[in-house]
Amino acid sequence: MSVWKSPSAKVTIPALLERKPHGPRIAAITAYDYPSARLADEAGLDLVLVGDSLAMTMLGHDSTLAVTMDEMLVFTRAVRRGLKRALLVADMPFGSYQAGHRGAARNALRFMKEAGAEAVKLEGAHPALVRRLVDAEIPVMGHLGLTPQAVHRMGGYKVQGRTDAAVETLRRQASQLAEAGCFSLVLEGIPREVAAILSAELPIPTIGIGAGPACDGQILVWHDVLGLGQHPPARFVRTYFEGAAHISAALLHYLHDVESGTFPSDQESYHLPRPRPAPVAEEGLAVSTA
Ligand code: KIV
């Protein structure tokens, strides 16, 4: 039997946990601004992540490493204004949690107090830090597998967890994060068989991206879902709209209309008030125009 999912009820962390055993699966997406957040919320997505992927998708960097706390806060506040129902998770950027628990807690609190995030996400196996944040009433989403902030250690964006030893490491790290109090775990770029094992073993929902169908939910990046990426999408992406092609065609159309003088039309222009009709004189009466 599946847990009833109200189309309008606020998505909470306990409600997501309840969905682990029977579904429905959790549908998550990244968003970085007010209009996208509003559309994701209205479509009924459960969870919106202000991912540090915005370093690449929104700011044009070639990795996620450069984005700062202050930049993440600006985007998170914009997304907050667009959400009514979906759970808002903010991604801790590179450098915001690696240099000590105290600084990490301060930064995580900033996301909640200054931007209205309901949880934070952090990459890698940091169970002691997760425990510290959870003790401070900061809900945490974990993230294992292909963790983009570790691009240099991994030697590129490569599928992880392909050897027996790597699978055992992932199992150990995932269970430590769950025990430390993570309310869910993103599994990125790992074989579907490994994600299936982790999803079966863990008491918390797994949210996959490039991790196959056995996860308790899926997340994709906004630009990938809507065909707004610059590069051909990765194999795990399903693109639901050719956004870049549609936007380019619309912009070309606009350019043509301006250059040819067909925009704006008379209906798209304002007019002076219509001149008042001249008063009509009745027979035998003088009309005063004073
Ligand atoms: O930053 C991001 O967009 C992410 C998702 C891919 C999970 O971490």
Side-chain angles (χ1 to χ4, degrees):
M1 192 194 71
S2 93
V3 174
W4 181 66
K5 179 183 163 193
S6 156
S8 59
K10 173 80 187 90
V11 178
T12 61
I13 289 168
L16 290 182
L17 286 165
E18 267 180 48
R19 282 161 64 173
K20 166 81 185 175
H22 307 293
R25 287 205 170 90
I26 297 164
I29 194 163
T30 69
Y32 313 109
D33 59 21
Y34 169 75
S36 327
R38 204 164 44 80
L39 290 170
D41 199 72
E42 285 168 9
L45 285 148
D46 298 303
L47 185 152
V48 170
L49 170 72
V50 183
D52 65 348
S53 50
L54 71 81
M56 301 166 85
T57 57
M58 301 298 285
L59 300 177
H61 293 294
D62 58 8
S63 79
T64 59
L65 302 184
V67 69
T68 65
M69 265 307 294
D70 286 341
E71 287 167 334
M72 290 296 298
L73 283 165
V74 171
F75 288 95
T76 307
R77 285 189 202 105
V79 168
R80 172 73 281 159
R81 291 179 206 117
L83 298 185
K84 290 196 173 89
R85 179 185 164 275
L87 191 81
L88 172 56
V89 182
D91 216 359
M92 303 278 295
F94 183 61
S96 70
Y97 61 97
Q98 287 88 347
H101 290 190
R102 184 183 294 215
R106 196 178 309 119
N107 285 325
L109 285 167
R110 286 191 74 193
F111 275 122
M112 298 186 76
K113 287 181 79 81
E114 296 177 34
E118 292 161 283
V120 297
K121 173 171 88 55
L122 50 92
E123 295 184 9
H126 304 285
L129 173 58
V130 170
R131 203 165 285 117
R132 166 85 187 259
L133 298 180
V134 171
D135 283 348
E137 303 297 357
I138 302 165
V140 182
M141 182 181 221
H143 184 165
L144 291 177
L146 192 174
T147 46
Q149 291 177 14
V151 58
H152 296 309
R153 175 176 58 73
M154 295 182 303
Y157 299 105
K158 296 178 179 165
V159 173
Q160 303 292 299
R162 280 190 148 148
T163 63
D164 287 350
V167 174
E168 284 317 304
T169 303
L170 276 174
R171 290 177 67 195
R172 190 185 65 251
Q173 293 176 338
S175 104
Q176 285 171 346
L177 288 177
E179 267 171 39
C182 279
F183 74 90
S184 65
L185 181 64
V186 170
L187 297 175
E188 178 166 357
I190 62 173
R192 61 179 287 177
E193 297 80 7
V194 180
I197 294 171
L198 297 175
S199 301
E201 284 179 351
L202 292 174
I204 55 172
T206 56
I207 311 289
I209 172 163
C215 296
D216 303 298
Q218 298 289 329
I219 185 163
L220 282 175
V221 166
W222 181 267
H223 290 62
D224 289 341
V225 173
L226 297 171
L228 296 168
Q230 244 183 314
H231 309 290
R235 161 200 185 124
F236 63 83
V237 167
R238 188 175 292 176
T239 299
Y240 289 84
F241 182 62
E242 293 304 331
H246 280 91
I247 291 172
S248 295
L251 292 174
L252 276 175
H253 200 159
Y254 171 57
L255 172 72
H256 170 267
D257 287 356
V258 171
E259 286 182 349
S260 64
T262 56
F263 174 79
S265 66
D266 188 54
Q267 288 91 330
E268 288 157 338
S269 307
Y270 296 107
H271 295 266
L272 282 171
R274 288 169 62 166
R276 273 192 295 162
V280 182
E282 279 183 34
E283 227 176 290
L285 290 176
V287 175
S288 160
T289 54

